[in-house]
Amino acid sequence: MLLFDANVQVGRYRQLREGMPYSKDDLLKDMDRFGIAEALVLHSLSREAHLAPGNHRVLRTVEGEPRLHPCWAVVPARSGENGPLDMLLDRLYKSSIRAVKLFPGHYSFSLQEWCLGSLLEVLEEGRLVTFIDPNSQYMGTPMDQTNWDALVALCRAHPKLPVVLSESRLRSGNRMLYQAFETCPNLHLELSGFWEHRGIEFLCHEFGPERLLFGTKWPVRELGGTVAQLQYAEIGEAERSKIGGDNLRKLLAGAHPSKRRAKPEFQISIKPPKGETLRAQALRGDRPDRLIIDTHAHLGKSAIYHLPQSSPALVEQEMQRLGVRCSIVFGFSGVTGDWTYDNDLVTQAMRRHPGRYHGLIVVNPNHPGEMMQELERCVDRGFIGVKLIPSYQDYPEDGPNIELAVRWANEHRMIVLNHSWGPTDHLRRLAVKYPEVTFIIGHYTTQHAAVVNNYPNVYQCTCEPLTYNSVETLVDALDTSKIVFGSDTTDLPLMLGMGPILHARIPEEDKDRILGLNARDLLRKVGVRIAASEPMEELDGEYEAE
């Protein structure tokens, strides 16, 4: 499989920090590291400053490098910033531009026909691959910015135009995506912001692999998660190759149909990785041969988005397929609704899948009386701790009822995993006052490094290493023996969280500790013993329906 990255920007950008990559040489180095053969490249000036200097500079940047293909930004026609509309196709052809990008959020324009129609007619005539990125900022992970009504109308009005949606994060929009795919055969999805549990598998099954394009959002995103999502997707190799690069190559080859183009004379080859390092295994898509324990996972369904293939039995099958020995889990509904429903679901999952699921009791600190009743109701069901998520429940992160749950967990020598612990002094005070609690900081941060490094009962979860070099940053800041792997599956794909660790530029022994050995030691504190080794046979038998 020759990967073709559909979402790359080169050049300095506003939030660039010391030591972060941005140049062509940086890009090629990372492409070699992750086995990426080609990339479609936009210059950051085209997005952040103005399209004219960026479009000009990207041609100079990629000149002489056959692995890199230039891409231009365009805007609605009437301002004249694209140049004369009747000459645009010729300019694009002469500059070897076969793909363009629209940034309606950043350049402040509408996707409606009254605004873009004349430009889209020209692009459709030339079959230019047209990416639509609705996000108003480059960094960060803004979610669900797509105007679906406008996008579908655009695709319908221009059925011969290949359109590619490129969201920073597509979360609650996945049900809308399915309907848009059903309605618009010319709509495609670039995958760097598509973080759905078994989402690649679901889209391939429902719509075919031809609608999906591999992309990383280099240099601001961590490539390991995106590459691993594709490498470990449970699809055929032909489907993987289409998504990985063949679909984009075919779309680009269809641009400028009225012009005759010579075929490229160069050949690209990527040497397959050798050895049994975790990175080599990840590049091959082999199941990691290490102890892996997931300390942050969900069970259940969600109103926020569709979660395909997410029954407890199917999630266990996914764990086995990817080498996860066991998971610390809690339900979805308690985050924003009835916390008893999913505590019962997790109870049932622990009973049906002993040793695979270790449950946390979800509670709501807005209701202290019912919170304590729920803790007592679940105490003898095999749960090993408490899950707090006050920031989603409109309760202060350092409010007094948080301590009620922590005090109860201290009496029972349990884990307390909190989505966010709030002020560092608050966490420090609790860690000192309640030494029998094993505290887990639920999401990626270095804010509490001093507490993690200096208190034996506080651990940092990796969930979720999204930005470039984020695992290396965490290891630099924290005692590696206090970092535990968490995927946030099924809220997120398991490999989105594991991939960055497998690919991280850190010693193998640090990866081993983060992936499983630290969590094994943590579980021992609460009375759970994990065998040093255990056969990881593929599961068989019947699984309950979705």
Coordinates of all heavy atoms in Angstrom, one line a residue, residues 307-361:
L307 N -22.7 4.9 17.2 CA -21.5 4.1 17.5 C -21.7 2.7 16.9 O -22.4 1.8 17.5 CB -21.4 4.0 19.0 CG -21.0 5.3 19.8 CD1 -21.1 5.1 21.3 CD2 -19.6 5.8 19.4
P308 N -21.2 2.4 15.8 CA -21.4 1.1 15.1 C -20.7 0.0 15.9 O -19.6 0.2 16.4 CB -20.9 1.3 13.7 CG -19.8 2.4 13.8 CD -20.3 3.3 14.9
Q309 N -21.3 -1.2 15.8 CA -20.6 -2.4 16.3 C -20.0 -2.2 17.7 O -18.9 -2.5 18.0 CB -19.5 -2.8 15.4 CG -20.0 -3.1 13.9 CD -19.0 -3.3 12.9 OE1 -17.8 -3.5 13.2 NE2 -19.3 -3.2 11.6
S310 N -20.9 -1.7 18.7 CA -20.4 -1.3 20.0 C -21.0 -2.1 21.1 O -20.9 -1.6 22.3 CB -20.6 0.2 20.2 OG -22.0 0.5 20.0
S311 N -21.6 -3.2 20.9 CA -22.1 -4.0 22.0 C -20.9 -4.5 22.8 O -19.8 -4.6 22.3 CB -22.9 -5.2 21.5 OG -22.0 -6.1 20.8
P312 N -21.1 -4.8 24.1 CA -19.9 -5.3 24.9 C -19.2 -6.5 24.3 O -18.0 -6.5 24.3 CB -20.6 -5.6 26.2 CG -21.8 -4.7 26.3 CD -22.3 -4.6 24.9
A313 N -20.0 -7.4 23.7 CA -19.3 -8.6 23.1 C -18.5 -8.2 21.9 O -17.3 -8.7 21.7 CB -20.3 -9.6 22.7
L314 N -19.0 -7.3 21.0 CA -18.2 -6.8 19.8 C -17.0 -6.0 20.2 O -16.0 -6.0 19.6 CB -19.1 -6.1 18.9 CG -20.2 -7.0 18.2 CD1 -21.1 -6.1 17.3 CD2 -19.5 -8.1 17.4
V315 N -17.2 -5.2 21.3 CA -16.0 -4.4 21.8 C -15.0 -5.3 22.3 O -13.8 -5.1 22.1 CB -16.5 -3.4 22.9 CG1 -15.3 -2.7 23.5 CG2 -17.4 -2.3 22.3
E316 N -15.4 -6.4 23.0 CA -14.4 -7.4 23.5 C -13.6 -8.0 22.3 O -12.4 -8.2 22.3 CB -15.0 -8.4 24.3 CG -13.9 -9.4 24.9 CD -14.5 -10.6 25.6 OE1 -15.7 -10.7 25.7 OE2 -13.7 -11.4 26.1
Q317 N -14.4 -8.3 21.2 CA -13.8 -8.9 20.0 C -12.7 -7.9 19.5 O -11.7 -8.3 19.0 CB -14.9 -9.2 19.0 CG -14.3 -10.0 17.8 CD -15.4 -10.3 16.8 OE1 -16.2 -9.4 16.5 NE2 -15.5 -11.5 16.4
E318 N -13.1 -6.6 19.4 CA -12.1 -5.6 18.9 C -10.9 -5.5 19.8 O -9.8 -5.4 19.3 CB -12.8 -4.2 18.9 CG -12.0 -3.1 18.3 CD -11.9 -3.1 16.8 OE1 -12.2 -4.1 16.2 OE2 -11.4 -2.1 16.3
M319 N -11.1 -5.6 21.1 CA -10.0 -5.6 22.1 C -9.0 -6.8 21.8 O -7.8 -6.7 21.7 CB -10.5 -5.7 23.5 CG -11.1 -4.5 24.0 SD -12.1 -4.8 25.5 CE -10.9 -5.7 26.6
Q320 N -9.6 -8.0 21.6 CA -8.8 -9.2 21.3 C -8.1 -9.1 20.0 O -6.9 -9.4 19.9 CB -9.7 -10.4 21.3 CG -10.2 -10.9 22.6 CD -9.1 -11.7 23.3 OE1 -8.1 -11.2 23.7 NE2 -9.3 -13.0 23.4
R321 N -8.8 -8.5 19.0 CA -8.1 -8.4 17.7 C -6.9 -7.5 17.7 O -5.9 -7.7 17.0 CB -9.2 -7.8 16.7 CG -8.7 -7.7 15.3 CD -9.8 -7.3 14.3 NE -10.1 -5.9 14.5 CZ -9.4 -4.9 13.9 NH1 -8.4 -5.2 13.1 NH2 -9.8 -3.6 14.1
L322 N -7.0 -6.5 18.6 CA -5.9 -5.5 18.7 C -5.0 -5.7 19.8 O -4.1 -4.9 20.1 CB -6.5 -4.1 18.7 CG -7.3 -3.7 17.5 CD1 -8.0 -2.3 17.7 CD2 -6.5 -3.7 16.2
G323 N -5.1 -6.8 20.6 CA -4.2 -7.2 21.6 C -4.4 -6.6 23.0 O -3.5 -6.6 23.8
V324 N -5.6 -6.0 23.2 CA -5.8 -5.4 24.6 C -6.3 -6.5 25.5 O -7.3 -7.2 25.3 CB -6.9 -4.3 24.4 CG1 -7.2 -3.8 25.8 CG2 -6.4 -3.2 23.5
R325 N -5.6 -6.7 26.6 CA -5.9 -7.8 27.6 C -7.2 -7.5 28.3 O -8.0 -8.4 28.5 CB -4.8 -7.9 28.6 CG -5.0 -9.0 29.6 CD -4.7 -10.4 29.1 NE -3.4 -10.5 28.6 CZ -2.3 -10.7 29.3 NH1 -2.4 -10.9 30.6 NH2 -1.1 -10.9 28.8
C326 N -7.4 -6.3 28.8 CA -8.6 -5.9 29.5 C -8.7 -4.4 29.5 O -7.8 -3.7 29.2 CB -8.5 -6.4 31.0 SG -7.2 -5.8 32.0
S327 N -9.9 -3.9 29.9 CA -10.2 -2.5 29.9 C -10.9 -2.1 31.2 O -11.8 -2.8 31.7 CB -11.1 -2.2 28.7 OG -10.4 -2.4 27.5
I328 N -10.6 -0.9 31.6 CA -11.4 -0.2 32.7 C -12.5 0.6 32.0 O -12.2 1.4 31.2 CB -10.5 0.7 33.5 CG1 -9.4 -0.1 34.3 CG2 -11.3 1.5 34.5 CD1 -8.4 0.7 35.0
V329 N -13.7 0.3 32.3 CA -14.8 0.8 31.5 C -15.9 1.4 32.4 O -16.0 1.2 33.6 CB -15.5 -0.4 30.7 CG1 -14.5 -1.0 29.7 CG2 -16.1 -1.4 31.6
F330 N -16.7 2.3 31.7 CA -17.8 2.9 32.3 C -18.8 3.3 31.2 O -18.4 3.2 30.0 CB -17.4 4.2 33.1 CG -16.4 5.0 32.5 CD1 -16.7 6.0 31.6 CD2 -15.0 4.8 32.7 CE1 -15.8 6.8 31.0 CE2 -14.1 5.5 32.0 CZ -14.4 6.5 31.2
G331 N -20.0 3.6 31.6 CA -21.1 3.8 30.6 C -21.2 5.2 30.1 O -20.6 6.1 30.6
F332 N -21.9 5.4 29.0 CA -22.1 6.7 28.3 C -23.2 7.5 29.0 O -23.1 8.7 29.2 CB -22.5 6.5 26.8 CG -21.3 6.5 25.9 CD1 -21.0 5.3 25.2 CD2 -20.5 7.6 25.7 CE1 -19.9 5.3 24.4 CE2 -19.5 7.6 24.9 CZ -19.1 6.4 24.2
S333 N -24.3 6.8 29.3 CA -25.5 7.6 29.6 C -25.4 8.4 30.9 O -26.0 9.4 31.0 CB -26.8 6.7 29.7 OG -26.7 5.8 30.8
G334 N -24.6 7.9 31.8 CA -24.4 8.6 33.1 C -23.7 10.0 32.9 O -23.7 10.8 33.8
V335 N -23.0 10.2 31.8 CA -22.3 11.4 31.5 C -23.3 12.6 31.4 O -23.1 13.7 32.0 CB -21.5 11.3 30.2 CG1 -20.9 12.7 29.9 CG2 -20.4 10.3 30.4
T336 N -24.4 12.4 30.7 CA -25.4 13.4 30.5 C -26.8 13.0 30.8 O -27.7 13.8 30.6 CB -25.4 13.8 29.0 OG1 -25.6 12.7 28.2 CG2 -24.0 14.5 28.6
G337 N -27.0 11.9 31.4 CA -28.4 11.4 31.7 C -28.5 10.5 32.9 O -27.8 10.8 33.9
D338 N -29.2 9.4 32.8 CA -29.5 8.5 33.9 C -28.2 7.7 34.1 O -27.9 6.8 33.3 CB -30.7 7.7 33.6 CG -31.1 6.7 34.7 OD1 -30.2 6.5 35.6 OD2 -32.2 6.2 34.7
W339 N -27.6 7.9 35.3 CA -26.4 7.2 35.6 C -26.6 5.7 36.0 O -25.6 4.9 36.0 CB -25.6 7.9 36.7 CG -26.4 8.3 37.9 CD1 -26.5 7.6 39.0 CD2 -27.1 9.5 38.0 NE1 -27.3 8.3 39.9 CE2 -27.7 9.4 39.3 CE3 -27.4 10.6 37.2 CZ2 -28.6 10.4 39.8 CZ3 -28.2 11.6 37.7 CH2 -28.8 11.5 39.0
T340 N -27.8 5.3 36.4 CA -28.0 3.9 36.8 C -28.1 3.0 35.7 O -27.7 1.8 35.8 CB -29.3 3.8 37.6 OG1 -30.5 4.2 36.8 CG2 -29.3 4.8 38.8
Y341 N -28.6 3.4 34.5 CA -28.8 2.5 33.4 C -27.4 1.9 33.0 O -27.4 0.7 32.8 CB -29.4 3.3 32.2 CG -29.4 2.5 30.9 CD1 -30.4 1.6 30.7 CD2 -28.4 2.7 29.9 CE1 -30.5 0.9 29.5 CE2 -28.4 1.9 28.8 CZ -29.5 1.0 28.6 OH -29.5 0.3 27.4
D342 N -26.4 2.7 32.7 CA -25.2 2.2 32.2 C -24.4 1.5 33.3 O -23.5 0.6 33.0 CB -24.3 3.2 31.6 CG -24.7 3.4 30.1 OD1 -25.3 2.5 29.5 OD2 -24.4 4.4 29.5
N343 N -24.6 1.8 34.6 CA -24.0 1.0 35.7 C -24.5 -0.4 35.6 O -23.8 -1.4 35.9 CB -24.2 1.7 37.0 CG -23.4 3.0 37.2 OD1 -22.4 3.1 36.6 ND2 -23.9 3.8 38.0
D344 N -25.8 -0.6 35.3 CA -26.3 -1.9 35.2 C -25.8 -2.6 33.9 O -25.5 -3.8 33.9 CB -27.9 -1.8 35.1 CG -28.5 -1.4 36.4 OD1 -27.9 -1.6 37.4 OD2 -29.7 -1.0 36.4
L345 N -25.6 -1.8 32.8 CA -25.0 -2.4 31.6 C -23.6 -2.9 31.9 O -23.2 -4.0 31.4 CB -25.0 -1.3 30.5 CG -24.3 -1.7 29.2 CD1 -25.1 -2.8 28.5 CD2 -24.0 -0.5 28.3
V346 N -22.8 -2.1 32.6 CA -21.4 -2.5 32.9 C -21.4 -3.7 33.8 O -20.5 -4.6 33.7 CB -20.6 -1.3 33.4 CG1 -19.3 -1.7 34.0 CG2 -20.4 -0.2 32.4
T347 N -22.3 -3.7 34.8 CA -22.4 -4.9 35.6 C -22.6 -6.2 34.8 O -21.9 -7.2 35.0 CB -23.6 -4.7 36.6 OG1 -23.3 -3.6 37.4 CG2 -23.7 -6.0 37.5
Q348 N -23.5 -6.1 33.9 CA -23.8 -7.2 33.0 C -22.6 -7.6 32.2 O -22.3 -8.8 32.0 CB -25.0 -6.9 32.1 CG -25.4 -8.1 31.2 CD -26.6 -7.7 30.3 OE1 -26.4 -7.0 29.3 NE2 -27.8 -8.1 30.6
A349 N -21.9 -6.6 31.6 CA -20.7 -6.9 30.8 C -19.6 -7.5 31.6 O -19.0 -8.5 31.1 CB -20.2 -5.6 30.2
M350 N -19.4 -7.1 32.9 CA -18.4 -7.7 33.7 C -18.8 -9.2 34.0 O -17.9 -10.1 34.0 CB -18.2 -7.0 35.0 CG -17.6 -5.6 34.8 SD -17.1 -4.8 36.4 CE -18.7 -4.5 37.1
R351 N -20.0 -9.5 34.2 CA -20.5 -10.9 34.5 C -20.3 -11.8 33.2 O -20.0 -12.9 33.4 CB -21.9 -10.9 35.0 CG -22.0 -10.3 36.4 CD -23.5 -10.1 36.8 NE -23.6 -9.5 38.1 CZ -24.7 -9.1 38.7 NH1 -25.9 -9.1 38.0 NH2 -24.7 -8.6 39.9
R352 N -20.7 -11.2 32.1 CA -20.6 -12.0 30.8 C -19.2 -12.2 30.3 O -18.9 -13.1 29.6 CB -21.5 -11.4 29.8 CG -23.0 -11.5 30.1 CD -23.8 -11.0 28.9 NE -25.3 -11.2 29.1 CZ -26.2 -10.8 28.3 NH1 -25.9 -10.2 27.1 NH2 -27.5 -11.0 28.6
H353 N -18.3 -11.2 30.6 CA -17.0 -11.2 30.1 C -16.0 -11.1 31.2 O -15.3 -10.1 31.3 CB -16.8 -10.1 29.1 CG -17.9 -10.1 28.0 ND1 -17.9 -10.9 26.9 CD2 -19.0 -9.4 28.0 CE1 -19.0 -10.6 26.2 NE2 -19.7 -9.7 26.8
P354 N -15.9 -12.0 32.1 CA -15.1 -11.9 33.3 C -13.6 -11.7 33.0 O -13.1 -12.4 32.1 CB -15.3 -13.2 34.1 CG -15.8 -14.2 33.1 CD -16.6 -13.3 32.1
G355 N -13.0 -10.8 33.7 CA -11.5 -10.5 33.4 C -11.2 -9.6 32.3 O -10.1 -9.1 32.2
R356 N -12.2 -9.3 31.4 CA -12.0 -8.4 30.3 C -12.4 -7.0 30.6 O -11.7 -6.0 30.2 CB -12.8 -8.9 29.1 CG -12.4 -10.2 28.6 CD -10.9 -10.3 28.1 NE -10.5 -11.6 27.6 CZ -9.3 -12.0 27.4 NH1 -8.3 -11.1 27.7 NH2 -9.0 -13.2 26.9
Y357 N -13.5 -6.8 31.4 CA -14.0 -5.5 31.8 C -13.9 -5.3 33.3 O -14.3 -6.2 34.0 CB -15.4 -5.4 31.3 CG -15.7 -5.4 29.8 CD1 -16.6 -6.1 29.2 CD2 -14.9 -4.5 29.0 CE1 -16.9 -6.1 27.9 CE2 -15.1 -4.5 27.6 CZ -16.1 -5.3 27.1 OH -16.3 -5.3 25.7
H358 N -13.3 -4.2 33.7 CA -13.3 -3.8 35.1 C -14.0 -2.5 35.2 O -13.5 -1.5 34.6 CB -11.8 -3.7 35.6 CG -11.1 -5.0 35.4 ND1 -11.3 -6.1 36.1 CD2 -10.1 -5.3 34.5 CE1 -10.5 -7.1 35.8 NE2 -9.7 -6.6 34.8
G359 N -15.1 -2.5 35.9 CA -16.0 -1.3 35.8 C -15.8 -0.2 36.8 O -15.3 -0.5 37.9
L360 N -16.1 1.0 36.4 CA -16.1 2.2 37.3 C -17.6 2.6 37.4 O -18.3 2.6 36.4 CB -15.3 3.3 36.7 CG -13.8 3.0 36.5 CD1 -13.1 4.3 36.0 CD2 -13.1 2.5 37.8
I361 N -18.0 3.0 38.6 CA -19.4 3.4 38.8 C -19.5 4.9 38.4 O -18.8 5.8 38.9 CB -19.7 3.3 40.3 CG1 -19.4 1.9 40.8 CG2 -21.2 3.6 40.5 CD1 -19.4 1.8 42.3

